[in-house]
Amino acid sequence: MLVTGSSGQIGSELVVALRKRYGRERVIACDINPSGEESGPFALADATDRAALEQVIRKHRIGCVYHLVSILSAAGEQNPDLAWSVNIGSLRNVLDLAVRYRMEQVFWPSSIAAFGPHTPRTHTHQLTVMDPSTMYGVTKVAGELLCNYYFLRYGLDVRCLRFPGIISWKTPPGGGTTDYAVAIFHGALREGRYECFVSANTVIPMMYMPDAIRATLEFMAVPRGRLRTRLGYNLSAMTFSARQLAKEVKRYLPEFVCTYKPDERQKIADSWPKSIDDRLSRKDWGWKPRFTLREMAEDMLKNIQPDWEG
Ligand code: SER
């Protein structure tokens, strides 16, 4: 198995989980930067470079790719050309090579960012309006369509999940609109305060990393005949406003002060759903989230500050 973007927020934890389940040597981590904490085989390669990627795939006889390389929403607005070429260029490389080398499976994360201002914002349905206003979102919609096409045209077993914002403590996210939900914990523990870049009322669906990893593993283990869509599956776990999150942190750190100073990311946040209808995931492959806001916050604080007693 190959995990591209292995040094990123999801990659750094997915690699560890896959190695635990399938064996250290069977999982090749791949990134343009080593994480510095490699727990097994690592290939230095840029997934937008088809020849370099092909070399890694041949050398390690890869049969399955978890393709996590991506420029996130806020970073993508700084450089839309780069977001398109990295997100779509690398995905096409992976899909073409997966067909050429007759791979068994490909996993690709889509996102709530695939939705847009005209999408119904609550209980957003699986099949609905998708008119993203960020280049990141455009690459997610285009990417889902590409995945579906490769399934229809070549029979490639490619699977996508539409992740909500992902909260984790091991590796920081970078360049996303949902990053405040991670940064708030670090601000609270280090300085007792945090200036949030979206308004207090901003509500975005989120998920704690252990649920995201478990979702990925369970989803990839389902027999292919059970899946009814090759576009992204909606996925939901928890949803809360920035104020509710700050309140939750304050339960443990009563002195914590959160202030709000919305910047250009507010507009992005406002274009995304507030809650997601993930019934198709529940039906087709048995998805069920475990972590609530309260459990997530407690676990985050405990792990960011190892001597934390709660
Ligand atoms: N976490 C991502 C972002 O904020 C959404 O997929 O860009």
Side-chain angles (χ1 to χ4, degrees):
M1 293 164 200
L2 182 70
V3 180
T4 70
S6 61
S7 301
Q9 187 195 12
I10 302 178
S12 59
E13 301 208 28
L14 185 63
V15 165
V16 172
L18 287 171
R19 284 191 174 140
K20 211 166 141 194
R21 179 166 296 201
Y22 300 105
R24 182 178 174 274
E25 300 305 316
R26 287 188 63 198
V27 181
I28 315 301
C30 175
D31 203 291
I32 49 170
N33 296 306
S35 69
E37 291 179 22
E38 311 316 328
S39 56
F42 175 79
L44 191 72
D46 180 345
T48 63
D49 177 342
R50 190 174 287 215
L53 189 63
E54 182 164 8
Q55 216 176 13
V56 174
I57 287 169
R58 289 172 68 112
K59 179 173 171 202
H60 298 278
R61 291 187 288 129
I62 298 298
C64 172
V65 181
Y66 292 80
H67 180 49
L68 307 181
V69 166
S70 187
I71 306 265
L72 295 188
S73 57
E77 291 316 286
Q78 302 300 317
N79 195 341
D81 281 346
L82 186 73
W84 176 267
S85 62
V86 168
N87 298 2
I88 292 297
S90 66
L91 178 61
R92 287 218 58 193
N93 287 344
V94 167
L95 293 173
D96 283 339
L97 291 167
V99 171
R100 180 170 323 154
Y101 290 94
R102 298 178 202 284
M103 287 190 203
E104 276 165 35
Q105 284 187 314
V106 172
F107 175 81
W108 186 68
S110 185
S111 161
I112 49 165
F115 300 115
H118 295 91
T119 305
R121 295 197 67 198
T122 52
H123 306 293
T124 301
H125 196 261
Q126 175 70 36
L127 265 180
T128 183
V129 176
M130 296 175 95
D131 63 341
S133 52
T134 62
M135 182 53 96
Y136 174 69
V138 169
T139 66
K140 289 303 181 191
V141 175
E144 285 193 21
L145 292 171
L146 269 178
C147 290
N148 187 52
Y149 180 79
Y150 276 70
F151 169 72
L152 296 172
R153 175 75 202 251
Y154 306 108
L156 181 65
D157 186 0
V158 48
R159 306 179 179 202
C160 312
L161 293 177
R162 287 178 190 146
F163 281 125
I166 294 185
I167 301 174
S168 68
W169 53 270
K170 277 190 191 146
T171 306
T177 302
T178 57
D179 293 10
Y180 66 90
V182 173
I184 192 170
F185 289 98
H186 294 275
L189 284 168
R190 290 205 189 115
E191 291 150 45
R193 51 188 308 117
Y194 178 63
E195 187 176 272
C196 184
F197 58 75
V198 296
S199 67
N201 295 328
T202 305
V203 176
I204 303 185
M206 302 275 180
M207 176 177 281
Y208 196 34
M209 184 65 91
D211 270 349
I213 299 293
R214 187 172 54 80
T216 307
L217 297 184
E218 289 178 5
F219 178 55
M220 290 298 276
V222 166
R224 66 185 279 168
R226 290 246 303 269
L227 302 183
R228 277 182 286 178
T229 181
R230 297 292 169 158
L231 298 166
Y233 269 88
N234 275 5
L235 200 58
S236 150
M238 54 180 96
T239 187
F240 48 77
S241 66
R243 182 188 286 111
Q244 280 171 303
L245 177 61
K247 222 170 122 191
E248 201 55 44
V249 174
K250 245 173 123 69
R251 271 170 39 88
Y252 301 96
L253 299 164
E255 311 287 291
F256 171 57
V257 178
C258 192
T259 53
Y260 302 87
K261 196 175 168 210
D263 65 14
E264 68 287 348
R265 288 168 282 192
Q266 182 70 50
K267 220 173 122 199
I268 300 178
D270 289 341
S271 74
W272 291 349
K274 292 176 194 278
S275 61
I276 297 289
D277 173 345
D278 65 355
R279 273 177 298 177
L280 195 68
S281 280
R282 291 172 188 255
K283 266 193 225 146
D284 281 9
W285 54 277
W287 167 242
K288 213 173 163 201
R290 283 193 192 144
F291 279 87
T292 60
L293 166 59
R294 182 145 300 172
E295 291 161 339
M296 175 276 289
E298 198 181 325
D299 202 62
M300 281 291 283
L301 291 165
K302 213 163 47 196
N303 282 295
I304 295 172
Q305 193 141 296
D307 51 4
W308 176 260
E309 275 165 21

